[in-house]
Amino acid sequence: MNIEDINRHWLVWLKSNFDYSNLSLDQINTIQKHIENDLPFVCARFTPSQMDRFNLGYCCTPESKNKKPKRYSVQANKEDINKYCPPLFISKVTENLPRQYSDKLNLLINMFTDAGLSEPGVFGSYLWQSITQEPHIRQNSDLDLIVYTDSLDSMCVCFDIFNKWELMSNIKIDCEFCIENSIFFSSEEFFDTSKQVIIKTRNLVDLIHKKELFKKLQSIRYSPNLSSMPISKKNHLSTQLAFLACKALYAELISYPKPGLVSFYDTGSHKDMDRITFTKSISTLYEYFTNIADAVMFNCSFQDMVDIGIKAEQKMLTATNDINTHKGAIFSLGLLVAATVKTLKNNIPLTPESIQNTLLNSWSNDIINHPIPNTTHGRKVVNSYNSNGILKEAADGFPIIFNIALPCLQHTLKMTENWNCSLIQTFFKILSVLDDTNILFRGGKEALSFVRNEAASFLKNNGVYNQNWYTTAKRIHQSFIEKQLSPGGCADMLACTVFLSYLKQLLASVFGKIEVLSNRNTLC
């Protein structure tokens, strides 16, 4: 690391011969004591006109338990710096905290680990108490975190974790996300309903439209990396799979442009739902995926799985004010989570093929014979248009997911190294072949023919490999909105595909390299 790498929230130690000129006597005494005790300062924003000078902050021990710690700031030159380091990880800070805090922080660490996320850094009162061993944490102190990530779906999972942990710990989290190691913004501001967000860099603070930030995140050359996530066949398997399933749903939500569908950019063909509706819905499904994984681990029946799914639907509808956002995903993605658990439970090496075989051998008959009321949209479409429907697709082992979508996603990711491009290419591939009952219900066979032709045309023109792909996809997106078409079934298939892709990366280091099945259609 070079001194030029120092950024917001980094820790900086000053030399003993630091220049105290122009400081008050009180501040001179506190800085001298700070340096003598080998305590760090925290780097704040740089002054644009003086990029070689560092604005540093430090916190002094409170005079009594009833008084807040005093916070000071000071400027320093490069020559004044003795050593420096990035923010301390939460596990390092936790080592030096009393158990009343460390137990709660260890729970948060475990949640990040189970979700396959790198643990966050810490600043603020929890950092200062860990470093100084003095009582900086007050009854109402926030836990100040910084999460380094270039992945929008990981940010969504982080925010879910924060909300769950706050309820369990009764401690509020104040988090900053950092992308490209240079742009910082508040997680709470990022996920609220406002259209703008404050971003901070080394030398400026700016207010920008969130769409600009979304677009920047999607342009980053990024591939999901879960290789550091430990996998357990017993203790944490259910929670890990639940996090991956929710992360896959977030990945589907954030990808753009997917014709007619809700995203972080707009509401697509929908007037009754937006990204907030979807994030609320996904947040409720973590418990469902955990429950269905646990149930399969203990040899539940297919009807038990159905009952768990019905409860999840009810909880989802409560969170969304009776708006159906993920009913299809509860069924399809729930089955893949269940098949993954059963494959591992039976000590079968985990591959896409083994998951598919487990699904076929375990529940194919139950699925196809499962009674569906004639009043549902899906059943009406199947009866009216002689369409396969999702039950037939699932009973056949989701051939579109395993044979077409998954190879396409992994091939495109390898070629482009761009997550959003790969998701959009895969979505159009699914759109070109799936009998989406949402499309049939809204517009009949004419609408299905229209969406398939649009998808086929996009792919024929090289899809995301065409330099104008984004403009073309947005045009198709707008045409779907005008016709009020929303291919929600394709969205569910995309989330399922992403889940399998996550699994392949996660388990490669445990079960060996898992190849894309070479005998399957990989044309993209």
Side-chain angles (χ1 to χ4, degrees):
M1 291 184 295
N2 299 318
I3 198 166
E4 287 77 15
D5 294 327
I6 297 176
N7 213 325
R8 286 173 52 81
H9 305 306
W10 278 48
L11 302 183
V12 172
W13 284 260
L14 296 179
K15 295 177 180 177
S16 57
N17 62 350
F18 173 71
D19 182 7
Y20 299 101
S21 302
N22 301 320
L23 297 178
S24 67
L25 182 61
D26 176 51
Q27 196 168 7
I28 290 174
N29 291 334
T30 60
I31 291 178
Q32 284 180 330
K33 185 177 180 181
H34 211 74
I35 295 175
E36 288 171 2
N37 291 332
D38 196 30
L39 295 175
F41 299 76
V42 176
C43 186
R45 183 168 56 90
F46 289 67
T47 303
S49 60
Q50 297 177 309
M51 287 298 291
D52 58 337
R53 288 179 65 79
F54 297 84
N55 292 318
L56 306 176
Y58 62 104
C59 197
C60 294
T61 304
E63 298 173 0
S64 69
K65 289 185 177 181
N66 297 324
K67 288 190 176 182
K68 289 184 177 182
K70 288 185 178 180
R71 301 179 184 273
Y72 296 91
S73 61
V74 65
Q75 282 196 333
N77 297 315
K78 291 181 181 180
E79 296 75 19
D80 296 321
I81 294 176
N82 182 33
K83 56 183 179 178
Y84 48 89
C85 73
L88 298 183
F89 285 132
I90 191 171
S91 57
K92 187 67 176 177
V93 171
T94 302
E95 291 175 1
N96 300 317
L97 291 177
R99 186 162 183 177
Q100 67 188 99
Y101 306 120
S102 63
D103 284 352
K104 294 179 179 180
L105 266 59
N106 281 325
L107 174 62
L108 182 60
I109 293 170
N110 289 337
M111 294 173 77
F112 267 77
T113 301
D114 285 344
L117 300 172
S118 299
E119 62 179 277
V122 182
F123 60 100
S125 56
Y126 282 78
L127 171 69
W128 289 117
Q129 180 147 332
S130 175
I131 290 174
T132 65
Q133 294 296 290
E134 298 290 346
H136 287 266
I137 302 173
R138 325 304 287 179
Q139 186 174 0
N140 60 346
S141 292
D142 293 347
L143 173 60
D144 299 298
L145 300 178
I146 180 168
V147 173
Y148 294 91
T149 179
D150 291 335
S151 160
L152 186 49
D153 50 353
S154 291
M155 292 179 193
C156 293
V157 175
C158 280
F159 198 64
D160 258 1
I161 290 174
F162 296 158
N163 290 333
K164 291 178 174 65
W165 185 81
E166 285 178 346
L167 290 174
M168 292 186 285
S169 67
N170 201 31
I171 299 172
K172 181 174 173 50
I173 288 176
D174 185 1
C175 172
E176 285 189 7
F177 288 129
C178 176
I179 62 173
E180 296 186 318
N181 290 318
S182 61
I183 300 173
F184 301 78
F185 50 92
S186 162
S187 63
E188 190 167 355
E189 286 184 14
F190 184 69
F191 284 105
D192 67 21
T193 57
S194 63
K195 294 182 179 181
Q196 294 179 305
V197 62
I198 296 172
I199 62 167
K200 303 172 184 177
T201 65
R202 282 167 57 104
N203 61 343
L204 64 83
V205 175
D206 197 8
L207 183 67
I208 67 169
H209 200 289
K210 286 181 181 176
K211 285 186 179 180
E212 293 182 42
L213 194 53
F214 299 154
K215 192 167 185 177
K216 182 169 186 63
L217 281 163
Q218 291 181 329
S219 69
I220 295 172
R221 296 178 70 84
Y222 154 78
S223 304
N225 182 8
L226 302 171
S227 59
S228 63
M229 177 177 176
I231 188 73
S232 168
K233 294 187 181 181
K234 295 180 181 179
N235 297 334
H236 297 287
L237 177 62
S238 297
T239 58
Q240 290 172 330
L241 292 178
F243 274 123
L244 288 186
C246 289
K247 185 178 172 72
L249 290 172
Y250 281 124
E252 181 279 316
L253 173 63
I254 65 177
S255 56
Y256 179 85
K258 298 186 307 298
L261 294 171
V262 174
S263 70
F264 269 53
Y265 283 81
D266 57 43
T267 62
S269 299
H270 299 273
K271 295 181 180 179
D272 60 341
M273 60 181 78
D274 57 17
R275 65 181 177 87
I276 302 297
T277 316
F278 272 75
T279 55
K280 286 180 179 178
S281 174
I282 296 171
S283 184
T284 69
L285 297 182
Y286 168 78
E287 182 181 358
Y288 160 65
F289 292 122
T290 303
N291 289 343
I292 201 166
D294 284 337
V296 173
M297 187 68 74
F298 289 97
N299 300 313
C300 71
S301 67
F302 182 76
Q303 187 57 49
D304 291 332
M305 293 165 58
V306 171
D307 293 341
I308 294 171
I310 290 172
K311 289 180 181 178
E313 287 180 15
Q314 293 169 344
K315 192 168 184 178
M316 172 201 73
L317 292 172
T318 299
T320 61
N321 293 322
D322 290 328
I323 297 172
N324 175 19
T325 49
H326 290 107
K327 188 174 181 179
I330 288 172
F331 174 74
S332 301
L333 193 49
L335 277 174
L336 290 183
V337 169
T340 301
V341 173
K342 193 162 186 178
T343 303
L344 288 173
K345 179 179 169 60
N346 292 337
N347 293 314
I348 299 172
L350 200 66
T351 66
E353 191 170 37
S354 66
I355 294 172
Q356 187 179 36
N357 288 336
T358 297
L359 176 60
L360 288 167
N361 295 333
S362 301
W363 301 298
S364 181
N365 290 333
D366 292 308
I367 293 169
I368 203 64
N369 293 318
H370 182 64
I372 300 294
N374 288 325
T375 55
T376 65
H377 290 176
R379 178 57 70 189
K380 287 179 180 179
V381 166
V382 170
N383 293 340
S384 300
Y385 299 104
N386 196 28
S387 169
N388 284 339
I390 190 61
L391 286 184
K392 182 67 165 57
E393 183 71 17
D396 289 344
F398 293 117
I400 290 176
I401 294 174
F402 286 93
N403 297 6
I404 298 173
L406 183 59
C408 179
L409 176 62
Q410 301 210 315
H411 175 77
T412 312
L413 190 57
K414 180 180 179 181
M415 297 300 294
T416 66
E417 296 183 3
N418 185 286
W419 189 225
N420 187 58
C421 284
S422 304
L423 294 176
I424 297 303
Q425 180 79 355
T426 305
F427 177 80
F428 273 96
K429 192 71 174 178
I430 296 169
L431 188 63
S432 69
V433 294
L434 181 69
D435 282 352
D436 194 314
T437 54
N438 291 276
I439 296 296
L440 284 167
F441 182 79
R442 285 184 176 226
K445 285 194 173 182
E446 182 180 348
L448 183 64
S449 177
F450 169 78
V451 302
R452 283 187 168 181
N453 288 339
E454 287 290 290
S457 176
F458 179 82
L459 295 169
K460 186 177 180 179
N461 289 317
N462 294 323
V464 298
Y465 302 103
N466 187 311
Q467 63 179 359
N468 297 319
W469 77 266
Y470 192 85
T471 302
T472 303
K474 281 188 70 175
R475 177 190 60 76
I476 298 172
H477 177 50
Q478 190 59 42
S479 69
F480 277 41
I481 293 173
E482 291 170 359
K483 294 178 180 293
Q484 295 187 313
L485 299 176
S486 176
C490 294
D492 296 336
M493 294 297 99
L494 179 61
C496 290
T497 305
V498 172
F499 173 74
L500 292 171
S501 179
Y502 285 159
L503 277 180
K504 288 189 65 170
Q505 295 176 65
L506 169 62
L507 296 165
S509 61
V510 179
F511 294 99
K513 188 176 181 181
I514 306 171
E515 298 289 349
V516 174
L517 302 183
S518 58
N519 62 326
R520 295 183 168 175
N521 179 12
T522 59
L523 296 177
C524 294

